[in-house]
Every structure is written in C-alpha cells, then in structure tokens.
Amino acid sequence: MKLPIIAYGDPVLRKKATAIQPDEYPHIKELVGDMFETMYAARGVGLAAPQVGLSMRLFVVDASPFGDDEPSLNNFRKVFINANIMEEKGEEWAFNEGCLSIPDIREDVSRKAIINISYYDENWKHHQESFDGMAARIIQHEYDHIEGKLFTDKLSPLRRRLIEKKLNEISKGMVDVDYKMKFPAAKKGR
Ligand code: NI
C-alpha cells in the first residue's frame, strides 16, 4: 500500500524519532513493504518513517539506481531499524541532494565520506558495518530524517534564503508532484 509522503513544514519531520522494540511492532515487515512501495512509486532511493508520519527510528534504502556508477550498489536494498551512526570520517564531498518531502529542490550538500553504523534489519538481526560512496551518502541523509534534520539545514544562510519562498510554497502544497503527499499548511480542498 502506498502511503502519502509528508511535506516540508510538518513537525513530524523535526522530531527526533524514537527507537522501536520487536514486540511493539509485530507487523514491521508490512510497514517496511509499504515504505519500499511508496519510495519506488516516487522514484526515491531512500525513505524514512517520519516521512510517512511515523516518528520511529526506521528507514529503507535502495541504492540500485546508482549501480551503473558503483556496481556494488546494484542490489543495495536495506532496512535500517534503530540505527546509530557511531563514526563519520574521511574527507567531506559535495553531492546534489534532493528529498521526497521537499520536491523540486536540489542543492549541493557536503558530508563525510565514510560511516560506521549499527542497526537491526527487518528480521531484527543486528549489524555493524562501514559504508562509503553513495551508500554512505544515502544512509546519512535518511539518518538525518530520524534525527529530525533535513538537508536544507546544511545549506549556507545565503542558499537557504534563496529557497525559503519555495519551501513555504511546498508546505502549502503549491508544487507539482506526481506522487501522493500530505501538505501541513495546505488550504482545505487541496
Ligand atoms: Ni529526505
């Protein structure tokens, strides 16, 4: 089932999400399936639970669209539950990022190259792994979502000022988007 994606301006995107326990969410795989379906329909490479209105430490990633450039990403489809980035290191590099909650805006964002992260998968198996390249980049972006952060927070004050009007319009639903969204400041009837 496709879920509506929460747009910029909704407080759920600003909350630090809480860890989840296996017994609280016996149907977690159903939710994970819905999140992948929602993400693919919107042609995203990552989606975090707050983006579908759930303040839980859960996100899904499928980096395979980057498989042409980085063959190791061809089957890179992963679920991250209760993730904790333990270390970020290496040189910062910039990449032009976008976000399904902030349609039509793309900006260069600098992030460190390598992460060391612990997390559980959808079978509640624990992992501790290092990622670099595009995988690290996507995970860092999604991890920010469960911390209540957005890529627009990382822009210079000038860049932020330049996109401020557009961000306001997005929260009101004044944006063309071909997937289902929920706009926090939309007038009734939209
Ligand atoms: Ni995002």
Side-chain angles (χ1 to χ4, degrees):
M1 184 180 69
K2 286 199 283 278
L3 307 166
I5 294 178
I6 307 294
Y8 182 92
D10 192 297
V12 73
L13 296 178
R14 289 307 189 178
K15 266 170 71 180
K16 190 179 156 95
T18 45
I20 56 179
Q21 304 305 326
D23 54 344
E24 286 177 311
Y25 293 96
H27 305 296
I28 192 89
K29 281 187 179 169
E30 206 173 301
L31 172 60
V32 163
D34 287 348
M35 285 175 64
F36 273 117
E37 189 183 340
T38 303
M39 182 186 87
Y40 291 134
R43 295 167 313 282
V45 292
L47 185 71
Q51 294 183 277
V52 293
L54 301 167
S55 192
M56 299 160 51
R57 296 185 77 81
L58 160 65
F59 56 88
V60 301
V61 168
D62 188 337
S64 47
F66 293 101
D68 288 345
D69 297 328
E70 287 184 45
S72 63
L73 299 180
N74 269 325
N75 293 306
F76 195 96
R77 175 185 154 114
K78 284 184 193 293
V79 178
F80 294 80
I81 298 172
N82 296 347
N84 181 26
I85 290 184
M86 296 149 79
E87 191 185 18
E88 280 184 290
K89 61 184 181 185
E91 213 155 309
E92 289 203 352
W93 60 289
F95 182 78
N96 200 245
E97 291 188 22
C99 179
L100 295 179
S101 293
I102 315 176
D104 271 1
I105 293 185
R106 297 197 73 93
E107 291 286 337
D108 283 350
V109 178
S110 284
R111 299 184 188 271
K112 286 188 176 168
I114 303 160
I115 58 166
N116 183 3
I117 188 169
S118 81
Y119 65 97
Y120 293 84
D121 64 23
E122 68 273 37
N123 298 309
W124 290 100
K125 184 170 180 275
H126 188 255
H127 301 262
Q128 189 181 326
E129 289 174 291
S130 276
F131 296 103
D132 62 6
M134 216 50 213
R137 164 77 48 171
I138 299 167
I139 293 165
Q140 285 163 317
H141 177 115
E142 298 313 321
Y143 186 81
D144 275 355
H145 276 300
I146 62 168
E147 292 286 304
K149 297 179 199 155
L150 299 169
F151 80 87
T152 48
D153 302 346
K154 300 192 182 291
L155 305 178
S156 70
L158 173 66
R159 288 304 312 168
R160 253 206 72 89
R161 200 141 42 83
L162 288 171
I163 62 167
E164 205 167 84
K165 183 166 171 254
K166 210 160 175 207
L167 289 173
N168 273 324
E169 288 175 352
I170 290 171
S171 65
K172 290 178 188 152
M174 294 158 66
V175 63
D176 262 332
V177 65
D178 64 359
Y179 49 89
K180 203 172 166 201
M181 293 193 79
K182 223 184 227 173
F183 300 101
K187 294 210 175 71
K188 275 200 188 110
R190 269 196 76 102

